[in-house]
Amino acid sequence: MNEDQTFASAVLHEIEDMHRFFTRWFGGTMPRTEANFDRFRMALDGNFAQVNPQGLLRPHAQILKDVWDHWNWFPGDPNFRIWVDQAQVHHVLPGAHAVAVYQEWHNYQGKNVGRTCTGVLCRRPGTPTGIAWLQMHESLMPA
């Protein structure tokens, strides 16, 4: 495996691991503590922003507030989960940056909702997996 392939594998691991965090956080199966939340907070670049499925650009501070506030957002469903499908690194760019595309799926009370996501990530020592999120864009999948 060459250096680009090793980096791409690390990016895909971060995407999967972040979504395992989302399942536990939004499902309320992990305690709502600053220490647990640090897994999310420490993985985002200080200038991280997200374009949400409604097309709104949400800056770093808003994302942190919203995710913190949405702990246990999907209560009462022990089968609630968020998972990633068809994840690929489309581009490995100079300076250990990558553009990744994947499908994100949510299952709550037996209903699946999907979105296609494009993320820009980079190698960053000191983050939970050595990878940081720079930008995210989400579009809802057709119903």
Side-chain angles (χ1 to χ4, degrees):
M1 191 177 292
N2 68 33
E3 190 173 323
D4 283 354
Q5 291 168 323
T6 300
F7 172 59
S9 291
V11 167
L12 295 175
H13 170 75
E14 166 58 24
I15 292 167
E16 291 280 351
D17 195 62
M18 179 64 82
H19 288 79
R20 283 189 291 270
F21 165 82
F22 288 151
T23 293
R24 293 187 313 269
W25 186 262
F26 294 133
T29 61
M30 71 167 36
R32 185 181 191 203
T33 67
E34 291 287 340
N36 285 334
F37 191 69
D38 276 348
R39 191 283 167 240
F40 176 70
R41 180 188 355 256
M42 300 303 294
L44 301 186
D45 181 80
N47 291 313
F48 175 84
Q50 175 214 35
V51 177
N52 72 9
Q54 291 75 38
L56 300 175
L57 180 65
R58 299 171 62 222
H60 182 257
Q62 186 66 50
I63 293 290
L64 291 177
K65 179 186 181 318
D66 289 351
V67 172
W68 176 262
D69 289 346
H70 288 111
W71 175 83
N72 200 26
W73 198 15
F74 297 98
D77 182 354
N79 297 314
F80 166 73
R81 69 184 185 114
I82 298 173
W83 72 98
V84 170
D85 191 28
Q86 299 183 29
Q88 307 175 47
V89 172
H90 277 260
H91 303 283
V92 173
L93 306 169
H97 288 72
V99 177
V101 177
Y102 59 93
Q103 292 178 354
E104 175 185 308
W105 292 93
H106 300 196
N107 181 288
Y108 180 59
Q109 296 183 341
K111 181 179 178 187
N112 287 338
V113 176
R115 54 190 76 193
T116 299
C117 302
T118 301
V120 180
L121 301 95
C122 70
R123 188 178 312 279
R124 179 79 49 86
T127 62
T129 64
I131 302 294
W133 295 77
L134 303 175
Q135 181 77 27
M136 167 61 58
H137 188 115
E138 298 182 336
S139 298
L140 288 178
M141 302 277 285

